[in-house]
Amino acid sequence: MPVFPEEPEIHESLPGPGVPFPRESDAQALYAPATGGAPATGSTTTTAPLPVPGPRPAPPRAAPPRAERQGPPRLIPKPGPAPRRPAPATPQVEVQRIAATPAQALERADDAVDRLLDSGRNPGDVLVLTVGEAHPWQQHELSFGEERYWAQLTEGGDVFYADAALTRPVRREVVVLVVNGGSAARAAEAYGAALGRATALLVVCGEAGPAVAAAAGAAPGRPVKA
């Protein structure tokens, strides 16, 4: 009689695909998640332990108070006033003298005016003032009326002849003072007024001003510098 090998012991196991479970609860226990509810009866699945929480973070610390400033705040000084500019210096007027008697003063003055114009001076830059009798050119211009006479002063295009006691404000580069009469006091006063009206040159024909003694030795007809 032949001997057959011993058949292995057959244990119950999970059915293969397509084989129905003997109980519906076994199928639910197989696919139940590990972290779900309680495991089914007879299942060997265990639940993983929950992680232990770490220490709670401490609340943020309040910022320390700002240190108080020592002393008053620094002030920026305001700029002071700008330095005052010095006043422009008054240009010095050159004084030239031509020795002449009162009878010669008009002729000497006309010669001086001619030399000034010949040297290139503008006629509108010359003012002729007489201490005594009015200059013949002044008398001629006044014959056309005072309005026309004073208009020539405003226009400033020609030599202007006037009395040394002129009260209208007028200044020109060159002033020719003609001492053709009058008292010494009037001549001295006319000299100061003529010096204030000249901006560059004062020509004195005759004796007038504080430097009369120095002009005593001047030769008649002395040339006038331009």
Side-chain angles (χ1 to χ4, degrees):
M1 179 175 187
V3 179
F4 294 95
E6 184 180 357
E7 293 183 4
E9 184 180 356
I10 299 175
H11 299 278
E12 292 185 2
S13 61
L14 297 178
V19 179
F21 287 97
R23 293 190 303 271
E24 184 177 355
S25 59
D26 294 340
Q28 294 177 354
L30 177 64
Y31 295 101
T35 58
T41 305
S43 175
T44 61
T45 304
T46 60
T47 303
L50 297 177
V52 179
R56 298 180 60 185
R61 300 176 61 184
R66 297 179 58 182
E68 297 182 358
R69 296 183 179 180
Q70 300 295 332
R74 183 180 178 184
L75 301 179
I76 301 177
K78 295 182 179 180
R84 298 181 60 183
R85 296 183 179 179
T90 303
Q92 186 175 1
V93 178
E94 180 184 358
V95 179
Q96 296 182 359
R97 296 178 178 276
I98 299 177
T101 63
Q104 299 171 333
L106 280 176
E107 183 180 355
R108 299 290 186 266
D110 290 342
D111 292 342
V113 171
D114 290 340
R115 287 192 294 271
L116 289 168
L117 298 180
D118 292 342
S119 66
R121 290 281 183 177
N122 189 339
D125 296 336
V126 181
L127 174 65
V128 179
L129 301 175
T130 55
V131 178
E133 187 180 2
H135 193 283
W137 274 110
Q138 180 183 358
Q139 298 176 17
H140 175 72
E141 297 297 339
L142 282 172
S143 64
F144 297 98
E146 289 193 2
E147 183 178 354
R148 175 58 186 164
Y149 170 72
W150 293 113
Q152 289 185 349
L153 177 61
T154 305
E155 294 169 0
D158 203 354
V159 180
F160 190 77
Y161 298 85
D163 191 276
L166 178 67
T167 58
R168 298 201 177 192
V170 54
R171 298 192 69 188
R172 290 196 175 183
E173 289 187 8
V174 181
V175 176
V176 179
L177 180 62
V178 186
V179 187
N180 59 337
S183 63
R186 186 165 187 261
E189 183 181 356
Y191 175 85
L195 186 61
R197 296 183 185 278
T199 61
L201 176 64
L202 171 62
V203 180
V204 182
C205 299
E207 298 182 359
V212 174
R222 179 182 175 184
V224 177
K225 296 181 181 180

mmCIF file of all heavy atoms in Angstrom, residues 110-146:
data_model
loop_
_atom_site.group_PDB
_atom_site.id
_atom_site.type_symbol
_atom_site.label_atom_id
_atom_site.label_comp_id
_atom_site.label_asym_id
_atom_site.label_seq_id
_atom_site.Cartn_x
_atom_site.Cartn_y
_atom_site.Cartn_z
ATOM 1 N N ASP A 110 34.984 180.329 -23.225
ATOM 2 C CA ASP A 110 34.636 179.842 -24.567
ATOM 3 C C ASP A 110 35.784 179.044 -25.170
ATOM 4 O O ASP A 110 35.571 178.012 -25.830
ATOM 5 C CB ASP A 110 34.270 181.016 -25.470
ATOM 6 C CG ASP A 110 32.941 181.658 -25.097
ATOM 7 O OD1 ASP A 110 32.161 180.996 -24.383
ATOM 8 O OD2 ASP A 110 32.692 182.805 -25.505
ATOM 9 N N ASP A 111 37.006 179.513 -24.938
ATOM 10 C CA ASP A 111 38.166 178.766 -25.446
ATOM 11 C C ASP A 111 38.257 177.387 -24.769
ATOM 12 O O ASP A 111 38.581 176.382 -25.421
ATOM 13 C CB ASP A 111 39.455 179.562 -25.189
ATOM 14 C CG ASP A 111 39.528 180.837 -26.028
ATOM 15 O OD1 ASP A 111 38.785 180.924 -27.033
ATOM 16 O OD2 ASP A 111 40.311 181.742 -25.662
ATOM 17 N N ALA A 112 37.974 177.354 -23.464
ATOM 18 C CA ALA A 112 38.034 176.080 -22.755
ATOM 19 C C ALA A 112 36.978 175.104 -23.271
ATOM 20 O O ALA A 112 37.247 173.903 -23.444
ATOM 21 C CB ALA A 112 37.852 176.320 -21.261
ATOM 22 N N VAL A 113 35.789 175.615 -23.567
ATOM 23 C CA VAL A 113 34.724 174.748 -24.092
ATOM 24 C C VAL A 113 35.121 174.213 -25.457
ATOM 25 O O VAL A 113 34.900 173.025 -25.764
ATOM 26 C CB VAL A 113 33.389 175.510 -24.155
ATOM 27 C CG1 VAL A 113 32.340 174.691 -24.903
ATOM 28 C CG2 VAL A 113 32.893 175.828 -22.752
ATOM 29 N N ASP A 114 35.713 175.063 -26.306
ATOM 30 C CA ASP A 114 36.132 174.609 -27.641
ATOM 31 C C ASP A 114 37.180 173.495 -27.529
ATOM 32 O O ASP A 114 37.131 172.499 -28.277
ATOM 33 C CB ASP A 114 36.693 175.783 -28.443
ATOM 34 C CG ASP A 114 35.615 176.780 -28.850
ATOM 35 O OD1 ASP A 114 34.428 176.384 -28.841
ATOM 36 O OD2 ASP A 114 35.957 177.939 -29.151
ATOM 37 N N ARG A 115 38.126 173.650 -26.616
ATOM 38 C CA ARG A 115 39.146 172.614 -26.464
ATOM 39 C C ARG A 115 38.546 171.306 -25.945
ATOM 40 O O ARG A 115 38.987 170.221 -26.333
ATOM 41 C CB ARG A 115 40.254 173.114 -25.521
ATOM 42 C CG ARG A 115 41.158 174.157 -26.156
ATOM 43 C CD ARG A 115 42.386 174.391 -25.277
ATOM 44 N NE ARG A 115 42.047 174.989 -23.989
ATOM 45 C CZ ARG A 115 41.988 176.308 -23.788
ATOM 46 N NH1 ARG A 115 42.202 177.158 -24.790
ATOM 47 N NH2 ARG A 115 41.701 176.777 -22.586
ATOM 48 N N LEU A 116 37.569 171.409 -25.056
ATOM 49 C CA LEU A 116 36.914 170.197 -24.549
ATOM 50 C C LEU A 116 36.201 169.445 -25.664
ATOM 51 O O LEU A 116 36.289 168.211 -25.753
ATOM 52 C CB LEU A 116 35.923 170.561 -23.444
ATOM 53 C CG LEU A 116 36.533 171.029 -22.114
ATOM 54 C CD1 LEU A 116 35.458 171.637 -21.223
ATOM 55 C CD2 LEU A 116 37.217 169.869 -21.407
ATOM 56 N N LEU A 117 35.497 170.187 -26.512
ATOM 57 C CA LEU A 117 34.766 169.534 -27.611
ATOM 58 C C LEU A 117 35.731 168.956 -28.635
ATOM 59 O O LEU A 117 35.478 167.886 -29.206
ATOM 60 C CB LEU A 117 33.813 170.535 -28.265
ATOM 61 C CG LEU A 117 32.711 171.097 -27.347
ATOM 62 C CD1 LEU A 117 31.827 172.079 -28.124
ATOM 63 C CD2 LEU A 117 31.874 169.978 -26.745
ATOM 64 N N ASP A 118 36.834 169.700 -28.892
ATOM 65 C CA ASP A 118 37.824 169.197 -29.854
ATOM 66 C C ASP A 118 38.508 167.926 -29.350
ATOM 67 O O ASP A 118 38.961 167.097 -30.158
ATOM 68 C CB ASP A 118 38.880 170.272 -30.136
ATOM 69 C CG ASP A 118 38.310 171.463 -30.901
ATOM 70 O OD1 ASP A 118 37.223 171.308 -31.506
ATOM 71 O OD2 ASP A 118 38.940 172.555 -30.872
ATOM 72 N N SER A 119 38.601 167.768 -28.044
ATOM 73 C CA SER A 119 39.248 166.575 -27.483
ATOM 74 C C SER A 119 38.324 165.359 -27.468
ATOM 75 O O SER A 119 38.761 164.270 -27.086
ATOM 76 C CB SER A 119 39.749 166.872 -26.069
ATOM 77 O OG SER A 119 38.644 167.119 -25.198
ATOM 78 N N GLY A 120 37.070 165.550 -27.879
ATOM 79 C CA GLY A 120 36.156 164.417 -27.959
ATOM 80 C C GLY A 120 35.054 164.416 -26.920
ATOM 81 O O GLY A 120 34.274 163.451 -26.864
ATOM 82 N N ARG A 121 34.962 165.446 -26.126
ATOM 83 C CA ARG A 121 33.871 165.517 -25.156
ATOM 84 C C ARG A 121 32.530 165.684 -25.850
ATOM 85 O O ARG A 121 32.414 166.370 -26.878
ATOM 86 C CB ARG A 121 34.091 166.702 -24.206
ATOM 87 C CG ARG A 121 35.241 166.535 -23.237
ATOM 88 C CD ARG A 121 34.852 165.653 -22.073
ATOM 89 N NE ARG A 121 35.940 165.546 -21.098
ATOM 90 C CZ ARG A 121 35.839 164.881 -19.966
ATOM 91 N NH1 ARG A 121 34.726 164.258 -19.657
ATOM 92 N NH2 ARG A 121 36.864 164.819 -19.129
ATOM 93 N N ASN A 122 31.513 165.049 -25.302
ATOM 94 C CA ASN A 122 30.152 165.184 -25.835
ATOM 95 C C ASN A 122 29.600 166.538 -25.409
ATOM 96 O O ASN A 122 29.681 166.895 -24.229
ATOM 97 C CB ASN A 122 29.285 164.050 -25.291
ATOM 98 C CG ASN A 122 27.927 163.983 -25.971
ATOM 99 O OD1 ASN A 122 27.463 164.965 -26.548
ATOM 100 N ND2 ASN A 122 27.294 162.837 -25.876
ATOM 101 N N PRO A 123 28.993 167.326 -26.328
ATOM 102 C CA PRO A 123 28.431 168.631 -25.925
ATOM 103 C C PRO A 123 27.411 168.508 -24.798
ATOM 104 O O PRO A 123 27.288 169.414 -23.962
ATOM 105 C CB PRO A 123 27.788 169.151 -27.217
ATOM 106 C CG PRO A 123 28.548 168.483 -28.309
ATOM 107 C CD PRO A 123 28.897 167.125 -27.783
ATOM 108 N N GLY A 124 26.684 167.419 -24.756
ATOM 109 C CA GLY A 124 25.705 167.245 -23.700
ATOM 110 C C GLY A 124 26.307 166.975 -22.345
ATOM 111 O O GLY A 124 25.571 166.913 -21.346
ATOM 112 N N ASP A 125 27.637 166.803 -22.273
ATOM 113 C CA ASP A 125 28.312 166.555 -21.002
ATOM 114 C C ASP A 125 28.891 167.824 -20.392
ATOM 115 O O ASP A 125 29.554 167.748 -19.352
ATOM 116 C CB ASP A 125 29.447 165.536 -21.199
ATOM 117 C CG ASP A 125 28.925 164.172 -21.617
ATOM 118 O OD1 ASP A 125 27.742 163.885 -21.325
ATOM 119 O OD2 ASP A 125 29.696 163.403 -22.235
ATOM 120 N N VAL A 126 28.668 168.992 -21.013
ATOM 121 C CA VAL A 126 29.290 170.240 -20.564
ATOM 122 C C VAL A 126 28.215 171.207 -20.079
ATOM 123 O O VAL A 126 27.211 171.425 -20.762
ATOM 124 C CB VAL A 126 30.124 170.878 -21.692
ATOM 125 C CG1 VAL A 126 30.781 172.176 -21.204
ATOM 126 C CG2 VAL A 126 31.178 169.896 -22.199
ATOM 127 N N LEU A 127 28.443 171.792 -18.917
ATOM 128 C CA LEU A 127 27.561 172.794 -18.327
ATOM 129 C C LEU A 127 28.395 174.043 -18.021
ATOM 130 O O LEU A 127 29.432 173.948 -17.356
ATOM 131 C CB LEU A 127 26.926 172.269 -17.039
ATOM 132 C CG LEU A 127 26.091 173.250 -16.213
ATOM 133 C CD1 LEU A 127 24.846 173.695 -16.976
ATOM 134 C CD2 LEU A 127 25.709 172.621 -14.872
ATOM 135 N N VAL A 128 27.946 175.208 -18.491
ATOM 136 C CA VAL A 128 28.644 176.479 -18.279
ATOM 137 C C VAL A 128 27.807 177.347 -17.343
ATOM 138 O O VAL A 128 26.634 177.627 -17.639
ATOM 139 C CB VAL A 128 28.909 177.205 -19.617
ATOM 140 C CG1 VAL A 128 29.624 178.539 -19.359
ATOM 141 C CG2 VAL A 128 29.741 176.324 -20.548
ATOM 142 N N LEU A 129 28.403 177.778 -16.229
ATOM 143 C CA LEU A 129 27.719 178.605 -15.241
ATOM 144 C C LEU A 129 28.438 179.957 -15.108
ATOM 145 O O LEU A 129 29.670 179.989 -14.992
ATOM 146 C CB LEU A 129 27.696 177.902 -13.875
ATOM 147 C CG LEU A 129 27.006 176.529 -13.828
ATOM 148 C CD1 LEU A 129 27.176 175.901 -12.455
ATOM 149 C CD2 LEU A 129 25.539 176.630 -14.198
ATOM 150 N N THR A 130 27.686 181.005 -15.108
ATOM 151 C CA THR A 130 28.251 182.352 -14.985
ATOM 152 C C THR A 130 27.887 182.953 -13.633
ATOM 153 O O THR A 130 26.757 182.807 -13.162
ATOM 154 C CB THR A 130 27.730 183.266 -16.102
ATOM 155 O OG1 THR A 130 26.301 183.252 -16.087
ATOM 156 C CG2 THR A 130 28.232 182.802 -17.457
ATOM 157 N N VAL A 131 28.879 183.634 -13.020
ATOM 158 C CA VAL A 131 28.653 184.271 -11.723
ATOM 159 C C VAL A 131 28.058 185.663 -11.910
ATOM 160 O O VAL A 131 27.192 186.090 -11.141
ATOM 161 C CB VAL A 131 29.975 184.347 -10.923
ATOM 162 C CG1 VAL A 131 29.760 185.061 -9.587
ATOM 163 C CG2 VAL A 131 30.526 182.946 -10.687
ATOM 164 N N GLY A 132 28.500 186.390 -12.929
ATOM 165 C CA GLY A 132 28.002 187.739 -13.188
ATOM 166 C C GLY A 132 26.902 187.736 -14.230
ATOM 167 O O GLY A 132 25.892 187.000 -14.105
ATOM 168 N N GLU A 133 27.126 188.522 -15.283
ATOM 169 C CA GLU A 133 26.123 188.654 -16.343
ATOM 170 C C GLU A 133 25.951 187.327 -17.079
ATOM 171 O O GLU A 133 26.894 186.545 -17.226
ATOM 172 C CB GLU A 133 26.552 189.759 -17.314
ATOM 173 C CG GLU A 133 25.517 190.098 -18.368
ATOM 174 C CD GLU A 133 25.985 191.195 -19.301
ATOM 175 O OE1 GLU A 133 27.127 191.648 -19.147
ATOM 176 O OE2 GLU A 133 25.213 191.585 -20.210
ATOM 177 N N ALA A 134 24.722 187.096 -17.579
ATOM 178 C CA ALA A 134 24.421 185.846 -18.289
ATOM 179 C C ALA A 134 25.264 185.733 -19.554
ATOM 180 O O ALA A 134 25.590 186.729 -20.202
ATOM 181 C CB ALA A 134 22.941 185.766 -18.627
ATOM 182 N N HIS A 135 25.614 184.524 -19.915
ATOM 183 C CA HIS A 135 26.405 184.252 -21.115
ATOM 184 C C HIS A 135 25.576 184.636 -22.341
ATOM 185 O O HIS A 135 24.349 184.462 -22.355
ATOM 186 C CB HIS A 135 26.803 182.786 -21.177
ATOM 187 C CG HIS A 135 27.843 182.469 -22.173
ATOM 188 N ND1 HIS A 135 27.597 182.363 -23.519
ATOM 189 C CD2 HIS A 135 29.188 182.239 -22.021
ATOM 190 C CE1 HIS A 135 28.701 182.058 -24.166
ATOM 191 N NE2 HIS A 135 29.694 181.975 -23.275
ATOM 192 N N PRO A 136 26.226 185.143 -23.401
ATOM 193 C CA PRO A 136 25.471 185.514 -24.605
ATOM 194 C C PRO A 136 24.644 184.364 -25.179
ATOM 195 O O PRO A 136 23.546 184.577 -25.692
ATOM 196 C CB PRO A 136 26.559 185.966 -25.578
ATOM 197 C CG PRO A 136 27.661 186.472 -24.698
ATOM 198 C CD PRO A 136 27.616 185.571 -23.495
ATOM 199 N N TRP A 137 25.159 183.126 -25.086
ATOM 200 C CA TRP A 137 24.378 181.997 -25.587
ATOM 201 C C TRP A 137 23.133 181.761 -24.718
ATOM 202 O O TRP A 137 22.081 181.394 -25.242
ATOM 203 C CB TRP A 137 25.215 180.725 -25.646
ATOM 204 C CG TRP A 137 26.002 180.587 -26.905
ATOM 205 C CD1 TRP A 137 27.331 180.673 -27.062
ATOM 206 C CD2 TRP A 137 25.461 180.327 -28.205
ATOM 207 N NE1 TRP A 137 27.691 180.488 -28.375
ATOM 208 C CE2 TRP A 137 26.541 180.272 -29.107
ATOM 209 C CE3 TRP A 137 24.172 180.153 -28.717
ATOM 210 C CZ2 TRP A 137 26.389 180.046 -30.474
ATOM 211 C CZ3 TRP A 137 24.023 179.916 -30.080
ATOM 212 C CH2 TRP A 137 25.108 179.863 -30.952
ATOM 213 N N GLN A 138 23.224 181.996 -23.444
ATOM 214 C CA GLN A 138 22.050 181.870 -22.584
ATOM 215 C C GLN A 138 21.001 182.917 -22.950
ATOM 216 O O GLN A 138 19.800 182.601 -23.025
ATOM 217 C CB GLN A 138 22.444 182.018 -21.107
ATOM 218 C CG GLN A 138 21.251 181.900 -20.141
ATOM 219 C CD GLN A 138 21.644 182.126 -18.703
ATOM 220 O OE1 GLN A 138 22.825 182.336 -18.380
ATOM 221 N NE2 GLN A 138 20.673 182.093 -17.804
ATOM 222 N N GLN A 139 21.458 184.135 -23.173
ATOM 223 C CA GLN A 139 20.517 185.190 -23.564
ATOM 224 C C GLN A 139 19.865 184.865 -24.906
ATOM 225 O O GLN A 139 18.671 185.124 -25.112
ATOM 226 C CB GLN A 139 21.254 186.532 -23.639
ATOM 227 C CG GLN A 139 21.848 186.986 -22.315
ATOM 228 C CD GLN A 139 22.644 188.263 -22.437
ATOM 229 O OE1 GLN A 139 22.521 189.015 -23.423
ATOM 230 N NE2 GLN A 139 23.496 188.557 -21.446
ATOM 231 N N HIS A 140 20.623 184.264 -25.803
ATOM 232 C CA HIS A 140 20.076 183.898 -27.110
ATOM 233 C C HIS A 140 19.002 182.820 -26.980
ATOM 234 O O HIS A 140 17.933 182.916 -27.598
ATOM 235 C CB HIS A 140 21.212 183.426 -28.030
ATOM 236 C CG HIS A 140 20.741 182.918 -29.350
ATOM 237 N ND1 HIS A 140 20.238 183.732 -30.352
ATOM 238 C CD2 HIS A 140 20.679 181.637 -29.848
ATOM 239 C CE1 HIS A 140 19.893 183.006 -31.404
ATOM 240 N NE2 HIS A 140 20.162 181.722 -31.120
ATOM 241 N N GLU A 141 19.258 181.785 -26.198
ATOM 242 C CA GLU A 141 18.283 180.696 -26.033
ATOM 243 C C GLU A 141 17.036 181.180 -25.296
ATOM 244 O O GLU A 141 15.917 180.744 -25.607
ATOM 245 C CB GLU A 141 18.915 179.532 -25.283
ATOM 246 C CG GLU A 141 20.084 178.876 -26.016
ATOM 247 C CD GLU A 141 19.679 178.249 -27.347
ATOM 248 O OE1 GLU A 141 18.478 177.952 -27.545
ATOM 249 O OE2 GLU A 141 20.566 178.033 -28.188
ATOM 250 N N LEU A 142 17.196 182.097 -24.343
ATOM 251 C CA LEU A 142 16.028 182.623 -23.639
ATOM 252 C C LEU A 142 15.152 183.481 -24.527
ATOM 253 O O LEU A 142 13.952 183.668 -24.227
ATOM 254 C CB LEU A 142 16.483 183.441 -22.423
ATOM 255 C CG LEU A 142 16.919 182.615 -21.198
ATOM 256 C CD1 LEU A 142 17.533 183.522 -20.143
ATOM 257 C CD2 LEU A 142 15.743 181.838 -20.630
ATOM 258 N N SER A 143 15.695 183.960 -25.642
ATOM 259 C CA SER A 143 14.876 184.772 -26.550
ATOM 260 C C SER A 143 13.783 183.943 -27.212
ATOM 261 O O SER A 143 12.801 184.496 -27.712
ATOM 262 C CB SER A 143 15.770 185.424 -27.620
ATOM 263 O OG SER A 143 16.379 184.430 -28.440
ATOM 264 N N PHE A 144 13.902 182.624 -27.205
ATOM 265 C CA PHE A 144 12.875 181.740 -27.776
ATOM 266 C C PHE A 144 11.863 181.291 -26.719
ATOM 267 O O PHE A 144 10.985 180.482 -27.011
ATOM 268 C CB PHE A 144 13.521 180.506 -28.409
ATOM 269 C CG PHE A 144 14.420 180.832 -29.572
ATOM 270 C CD1 PHE A 144 15.801 180.931 -29.405
ATOM 271 C CD2 PHE A 144 13.888 181.063 -30.831
ATOM 272 C CE1 PHE A 144 16.628 181.212 -30.465
ATOM 273 C CE2 PHE A 144 14.722 181.354 -31.909
ATOM 274 C CZ PHE A 144 16.102 181.434 -31.727
ATOM 275 N N GLY A 145 11.997 181.817 -25.536
ATOM 276 C CA GLY A 145 11.067 181.465 -24.459
ATOM 277 C C GLY A 145 11.707 180.509 -23.460
ATOM 278 O O GLY A 145 12.585 179.708 -23.804
ATOM 279 N N GLU A 146 11.272 180.642 -22.244
ATOM 280 C CA GLU A 146 11.854 179.805 -21.186
ATOM 281 C C GLU A 146 11.526 178.321 -21.365
ATOM 282 O O GLU A 146 12.331 177.449 -20.992
ATOM 283 C CB GLU A 146 11.362 180.284 -19.819
ATOM 284 C CG GLU A 146 11.932 181.618 -19.380
ATOM 285 C CD GLU A 146 11.670 181.887 -17.912
ATOM 286 O OE1 GLU A 146 11.065 180.990 -17.251
ATOM 287 O OE2 GLU A 146 12.049 182.963 -17.421
#
